[in-house]
Amino acid sequence: MDIAADEHVKKRTAAGRMLSLLDAFLRGGGALRLTDISRYADLPLPTAHRLVRELLEWGGLEQDEEGCYRLSGKFLRLASSSTRGLEIREHALPHLIALHRTSGQAVQLAVRDDRDIVYLEALRTHPNWSGEARIGGRLPLHVSAAGLVLLAGAGPDALEDYLSGPLKRYTEHTPVDPDAIRATVARIRQEKAMIAERFITHDAGGVGVPVTNGMGETIAAVGLIYFTGKDRPQALLDMVRLAAHRISRAICERPGQPDPRTVDFKRRHAGLL
């Protein structure tokens, strides 16, 4: 690290350095060596080592036999006490399990985080399933069916803001033309569903359906991954719709809702009655 970079690190507060270290696990994707943490967090190796030791003592990190570090379950316990996303997951999980068993496909529950889709749950067909479609995984909104469903539910201003930024292409089928994405979003708002084929890889596609709250707002999306040339996405769509509908109903029926007349109107408008 050069002198200018070293001065940049010194200007960061202790909290800022610790947050940078935690953010390294998002950028690095899971198990990291100390050198990886130092690089992703933009911290000198001695500083990264000291902060890692502090997190280990606090119980926030775990170290495996190969010397790699992972975030511990303590962060999940902390998040589950206050995170709205995990509350949604609790309502959704029984219906996701039923969808996974009925369809025989990989199933996810996702929410929007700025320009990304973030997976709150991922039920896989194989334990060695790779890629970002895992719990905590992130992908740009425009490259998956569930992501486009969330983008459609975010509103016109959010859509235009998203389209003003860079749009990554994974295959020749990945939508990157703003006008094409606007048309797709308009169709999703009408049909309340999306099928995306070969957007990320040539051998897979996805089905996405919105999950709505008592006000009819999209708060999450149910996603399903299928294999192109083998599975029929239209046949899977009804299963995903049913799961999303049941999750939406479970969320609407929780205590502490607005005036029942307002809830009834919004649910009818969202097609939940």
Side-chain angles (χ1 to χ4, degrees), residues 6-222:
D6 188 51
E7 287 300 318
H8 170 70
V9 170
K10 288 179 180 178
K11 288 180 180 178
R12 279 189 279 178
T13 64
R17 291 191 289 272
M18 181 63 78
L19 291 173
S20 295
L21 186 143
L22 293 175
D23 195 51
F25 287 91
L26 286 177
R27 298 179 60 194
L32 300 177
R33 296 188 179 278
L34 185 60
T35 52
D36 298 323
I37 295 172
S38 172
R39 176 163 50 90
Y40 285 124
D42 192 21
L43 292 169
L45 195 59
T47 302
H49 181 262
R50 175 176 58 80
L51 294 176
V52 163
R53 299 310 305 176
E54 290 181 13
L55 275 175
L56 279 171
E57 292 174 6
W58 178 67
L61 292 182
E62 299 170 344
Q63 188 175 22
D64 62 24
E65 297 83 359
E66 298 180 355
C68 293
Y69 298 93
R70 293 178 180 272
L71 296 179
S72 75
K74 189 167 187 175
F75 283 99
L76 184 60
R77 293 193 296 273
L78 287 171
S80 65
S81 67
S82 59
T83 300
R84 174 68 176 132
L86 291 179
E87 182 183 342
I88 295 172
R89 177 185 174 274
E90 289 298 315
H91 288 291
L93 191 55
H95 307 294
L96 295 174
I97 292 172
L99 175 61
H100 178 57
R101 290 175 175 171
T102 303
S103 67
Q105 308 293 339
V107 172
Q108 301 93 26
L109 177 72
V111 294
R112 182 174 72 96
D113 182 19
D114 192 20
R115 297 180 60 82
D116 291 341
I117 183 174
V118 179
Y119 295 99
L120 300 180
E121 183 57 76
L123 304 177
R124 309 180 183 193
T125 54
H126 193 281
N128 292 328
W129 187 290
S130 60
E132 289 300 315
R134 53 179 171 77
I135 296 177
R138 307 173 75 94
L139 282 169
L141 290 168
H142 69 286
V143 306
S144 70
L148 284 166
V149 162
L150 292 169
L151 188 58
D157 291 342
L159 173 62
E160 293 307 314
D161 180 66
Y162 186 83
L163 295 178
S164 68
L167 300 175
K168 183 175 180 179
R169 184 190 294 275
Y170 287 78
T171 73
E172 67 273 20
H173 301 284
T174 307
V176 293
D177 177 67
D179 287 336
I181 294 175
R182 288 187 187 97
T184 297
V185 164
R187 187 170 66 252
I188 292 171
R189 288 172 179 163
Q190 288 185 331
E191 300 177 358
K192 302 294 190 294
M194 174 65 188
I195 295 175
E197 190 158 298
R198 298 186 173 98
F199 280 14
I200 301 177
T201 66
H202 288 91
D203 58 357
V207 179
V209 176
V211 172
T212 57
N213 62 12
M215 303 301 291
E217 301 163 331
T218 298
I219 58 172
V222 177

